[in-house]
Amino acid sequence: MKLAEDRVFRQSALLIKDAVSKEAYEQVKTELATLNADIELVKANIAQTELRAPFDGIIGLREVSVGSYTSPSTFIARLTKISPLKIEFHVIERYASSIYKGMKLTFQVDEKLSVFNATVYATDSRVTEDTRTLAVRALYPNSDGLLFPGRHVSVNLKLNEIPNAIAIPTEAIVPELGVDKVYLYKSGKAQPVEVTTGLRTDAQVQIVKGIQVGDTIITSGTLQLRTGLNVVLDQID
């Protein structure tokens, strides 16, 4: 390029002095223009070999070697976006109507004791027929890059909060002829009372009616209890 530009400069100076023909001057100008066009074409071809991602992330292992021939379908490497992270989970259809955009949730990763906060940003438009569940997606900022995509997490959702609720261990419930009962400890004896239950978890059940705050319930050996049986408490929680 530098030689071509110098040639045009010299021919221009000679043309002013009528020491060279105009055709010779036009010839070197054409050569310079052609060279410029060739250079721009090379730059364009080089640009086509650059891979530019539409987002920031972490590049994975390279799957091709330097000098290998590639095509648009060649898998070169995986670029993974790690901030924010999407969390996808499913809730049973019974609670589908309670999930909404902007809902807060917490989750944990198996080997980490920390609790992370995320926000629901989308739900599926229908319940899956075979599993009877609703797909839900949430976002976690992951601004520190601490978590990697593809991990399994345990999601905790607070669907409802009942203030001043009474909850007892599930093993304290004694079903009898279609009626739920619990045994109270009163004056050293077992006293059965009928209760109305509400929400249940794996370990606890809500008591809507039947007992009051401050009552002492018996949680073990309930199948051997009967009305008025003398009871000795080994442990009081």
Side-chain angles (χ1 to χ4, degrees), residues 82-85 107 116-117 139-147:
I82 64 169
S83 179
L85 288 181
F107 69 94
F116 304 94
N117 299 298
L139 280 181
Y140 169 64
N142 199 34
S143 54
D144 54 5
L146 184 62
L147 300 182

Side-chain angles (χ1 to χ4, degrees), residues 172-182 192-197 200:
I173 301 293
V174 180
E176 187 176 305
L177 300 176
V179 176
D180 289 330
K181 293 183 178 181
V182 299
V193 294
E194 182 179 333
V195 294
T196 303
T197 59
R200 291 176 180 263

Side-chain angles (χ1 to χ4, degrees), residues 159-175:
L159 299 178
N160 193 14
E161 185 173 359
I162 304 174
N164 303 319
I166 298 176
I168 65 173
T170 54
E171 59 267 24
I173 301 293
V174 180

Side-chain angles (χ1 to χ4, degrees), residues 33-168:
T34 302
L35 183 59
N36 272 318
D38 290 341
I39 291 175
E40 292 302 318
L41 180 60
V42 171
K43 289 181 178 179
N45 290 334
I46 292 176
Q48 291 179 0
T49 66
E50 295 179 353
L51 300 178
R52 296 184 179 273
F55 56 84
D56 292 333
I58 295 179
I59 195 74
L61 298 176
R62 189 179 62 191
E63 300 295 334
V64 296
S65 301
V66 175
S68 299
Y69 287 99
T70 62
S71 68
S73 61
T74 301
F75 181 84
I76 298 177
R78 177 178 288 107
L79 179 70
T80 304
K81 187 175 183 179
I82 64 169
S83 179
L85 288 181
K86 295 179 181 178
I87 303 169
E88 183 168 322
F89 59 97
H90 295 76
V91 298
I92 59 177
E93 59 181 339
R94 175 182 177 184
Y95 302 121
S97 60
S98 300
I99 309 299
Y100 56 89
K101 183 177 180 180
M103 186 177 188
K104 304 298 181 181
L105 61 89
T106 61
F107 69 94
Q108 290 178 281
V109 182
D110 293 340
E111 79 281 1
K112 296 184 182 298
L113 298 178
S114 303
V115 176
F116 304 94
N117 299 298
T119 305
V120 173
Y121 75 93
T123 61
D124 205 349
S125 59
R126 62 194 295 269
V127 171
T128 304
E129 294 182 2
D130 54 347
T131 62
R132 309 310 305 172
T133 58
L134 178 72
V136 184
R137 288 180 180 173
L139 280 181
Y140 169 64
N142 199 34
S143 54
D144 54 5
L146 184 62
L147 300 182
F148 281 90
R151 301 297 307 275
H152 288 280
V153 300
S154 298
V155 175
N156 299 301
L157 280 171
K158 183 184 290 186
L159 299 178
N160 193 14
E161 185 173 359
I162 304 174
N164 303 319
I166 298 176
I168 65 173

